[in-house]
Each structure stands twice: as structure tokens, then as C-alpha cells.
Amino acid sequence: MTQDIQLEIRDAVAIVRLTRPAKRNALSDGLILGIRAMFETMPDTVRAIVLDGEGEHFCAGLDLSELKERDAGGGLHHSRMWHAALETVQFGPAPVIAVLHGAVVGGGLELAATCHIRVADETTFYALPEGSRGIFVGGGGAVRIPRLIGEARMADMMFTGRVYNAADGERVGFAQYLVPRGQAFDKAMELAQRIAQNAPLTNYALMHALPRISEQPADQGFLTEALMAAIAQSAPEAKSRVRDFLEGRAAKVKKD
Ligand code: 1HE
């Protein structure tokens, strides 16, 4: 496996780190395949994953030095290789929390959009320079980014080279959390530890059922929701958690 990615396990939480800071964690083919291999071979004790990038920037996107003259077929296969790798992140073994800081651009934004939660610090900025480089997104961004910020905003970013800062990025929906500089990793770990305590079927439903339901026509979505709800609530873990609440042993919902 490539040296540009590292795995650290802390109890039920895995920390996956892109370790190519000299190239701003640019995603070479080797690194994309490394991400795929890492998510495919994650130990089955892992219940939540934190994805970080070493250095000042989360990820500068596609490694442009590898952008050779490809014919149409080569370009198609290259993009599909990214799709397959990022699918292992989205539909992998556990929810993924991205630690955003500095540049989250191009394929780096496509990778971030694949994660389930994004925590950004104040240094974060978002861009899709593909537009000005004469190329198009190829790592699933055309599908996933409009789901976060809407098609019109994505088109604007690519037409005009618009860059969103951290505050505006949170406002439009890139990140669910915005924290002071340097604090995104700690916040992501806190969220990961909490998510790791959920009933596994709840996390499964959120990762695998929810995104599919939101793509289904309402009539089919309601049925899929009902099937998933029935499966989740019949698990012994759900029964014992509900009993804990009814018997006063579980936390109430509290105003923040
Ligand atoms: C790179 C890359 C890269 C940096 N591929 N080598 N992505 C982009 O168009 C973004 C291009 N990168 C940048 O705009 C800037 O590098 C950053 C804003 C991310 C960071 O700036 P800075 O001043 O901290 O770093 P730097 O001096 O620009 O870069 C440091 C080194 O990283 C330098 O190499 P060096 O050998 O001269 O030290 C850069 O060449 C190298 N580097 N970014 C290759 N992306 C599935 S399709 C997805 C399509 C896309 O992602 S297109 C968008 C690509």
C-alpha cells in the first residue's frame, strides 16, 4: 500500500490520515487505490472513522501531475476507478467524519462530500477549480455536491471559480459543524466516539437506507423507510435501549 495514507485505531474509532502534505494531499492514483484498500480491509471492530489530512490543507484534489493525455476510454475508466474507491468510503464499514481545514478543493471536495459528517475549522475553503482547468468533476461530485449545496451553487462554483470560505461553506451546507482553527480533529473524534455507541443497525440505516430513500419516489421511499424501521426496532439492542429509557436509566433529550 502507498505511504501516503495511514491508519490508527483508538478503541472503536479508526483514524485514516492522508499523509502527503508536501503535495497538499493531492490524490494520485496510488492514493485513491490506497483509500479503497484501507476502507475494504478495515478491522471489523471499527464503529466510526475519522478522515483527516496532514498539514495545512485537507486535500488539493486530483494529482494534476498525473493528468496525462488519456483517450475517452481511459478517462472513463479513471473516473470509474474514483467512483469505486469513494463508494467504499460512503458505503463502507462505518460512518466517516471528515476533518476539514485549508483547501478542500476539486477531488478533495468530492472526497469530503462522500463522508457522512464534515467538521470544518475556520481555515477551510471550498472550490471546484476543474472549471478553470478545462476539465469536469469525475469523482462523484456531480452527484454528491448538489445534494449538499444545490445544483445552482455547484454550477456557479465551476462557471466562475467562486471560492467559499469556512463560514459561508457551513451556511450553504458543505459542513455540518464549524469550529475554531485547529479544533476540527478533536470535534470529529468527539462525534465519532458518540456515533460508535449507536446501535449498529441505526448507523447501517443512516448509511445505507437513508441516501437510497431520498432518491426514491415518495411512495417507494415510505415503504423502504417502513421496512428499515421494522428491522431496526426488532433488534434486541433497540428493545433494551427503549426499556432503559422507560425505566429511567437512559438520558433524556436536553436543550443544548
Ligand atoms: C499539487 C496539487 C495538485 C498542490 N496536484 N500537485 N486541484 C487544483 O487545481 C488545486 C491546485 N492546488 C492549489 O491551488 C494550491 O496548491 C493549494 C491552494 C491547494 C495550496 O496552496 P499552497 O500555496 O499551500 O501550496 P503550493 O505551493 O501551491 O503547492 C505545494 C506543492 O504541492 C507544489 O509542488 P512542489 O513540488 O512545487 O512543491 C504543488 O505543485 C503541489 N500541488 N496541489 C499536484 N492538485 C476526479 S476528478 C477531480 C478533478 C480535480 O480535482 S481538479 C482540481 C485539482
Side-chain angles (χ1 to χ4, degrees):
M1 193 182 286
T2 167
Q3 302 296 307
D4 296 335
I5 186 166
Q6 279 174 9
L7 175 66
E8 183 192 336
I9 305 283
R10 292 193 202 165
D11 300 320
V13 177
I15 300 157
V16 175
R17 194 169 276 120
L18 309 179
T19 52
R20 205 186 174 207
K23 295 290 181 188
R24 308 316 185 236
N25 297 317
L27 297 166
S28 60
D29 287 359
L31 185 43
I32 282 291
L33 292 171
I35 291 172
R36 178 176 179 166
M38 186 159 284
F39 277 80
E40 282 178 343
T41 57
M42 196 65 70
D44 58 13
T45 50
V46 167
R47 296 275 172 270
I49 299 166
V50 169
L51 175 64
D52 199 0
E54 199 173 301
E56 302 282 296
H57 300 280
F58 173 71
C59 178
L62 177 74
D63 187 328
L64 292 168
S65 70
E66 288 184 353
L67 192 69
K68 309 178 261 302
E69 283 299 315
R70 289 192 190 96
D71 63 12
L76 171 73
H77 290 305
H78 184 257
S79 171
R80 297 298 285 155
M81 189 259 284
W82 271 62
H83 292 163
L86 297 195
E87 283 238 332
T88 66
V89 177
Q90 182 177 1
F91 298 118
V96 185
I97 302 114
V99 179
L100 305 184
H101 53 286
V104 181
V105 305
L109 181 50
E110 296 184 276
L111 173 61
T114 308
C115 299
H116 303 91
I117 296 184
R118 284 157 294 280
V119 181
D121 85 1
E122 285 164 346
T123 68
T124 307
F125 57 97
Y126 307 88
L128 290 169
E130 287 89 339
S132 53
R133 311 239 184 270
I135 53 180
F136 190 57
V137 284
V143 172
R144 296 191 182 100
I145 295 172
R147 293 205 176 121
L148 297 180
I149 62 166
E151 183 193 319
R153 285 199 183 93
M154 177 176 173
D156 174 38
M157 288 174 82
M158 294 193 70
F159 276 133
T160 67
R162 180 171 181 171
V163 179
Y164 279 90
N165 65 23
D168 288 340
E170 190 215 13
R171 178 177 56 78
V172 300
F174 278 126
Q176 292 102 318
Y177 295 86
L178 176 59
V179 297
R181 180 191 186 103
Q183 293 185 22
F185 178 78
D186 287 350
K187 181 70 187 177
M189 284 300 288
E190 177 197 319
L191 297 172
Q193 275 147 7
R194 175 155 187 183
I195 289 166
Q197 289 164 25
N198 289 342
L201 265 180
T202 299
N203 286 345
Y204 182 88
L206 290 171
M207 289 178 67
H208 296 271
L210 182 62
R212 270 116 180 179
I213 291 169
S214 68
E215 282 171 26
Q216 289 180 327
D219 183 48
Q220 292 171 26
F222 290 136
L223 180 63
T224 313
E225 178 190 82
L227 293 172
M228 191 65 241
I231 293 168
Q233 78 193 22
S234 68
E237 173 126 20
K239 304 251 184 269
S240 70
R241 283 174 184 238
V242 172
R243 198 165 47 242
D244 284 349
F245 173 75
L246 293 174
E247 293 170 8
R249 288 189 301 272
K252 291 186 196 182
V253 177
K254 282 200 237 68
K255 206 169 132 200
D256 223 9

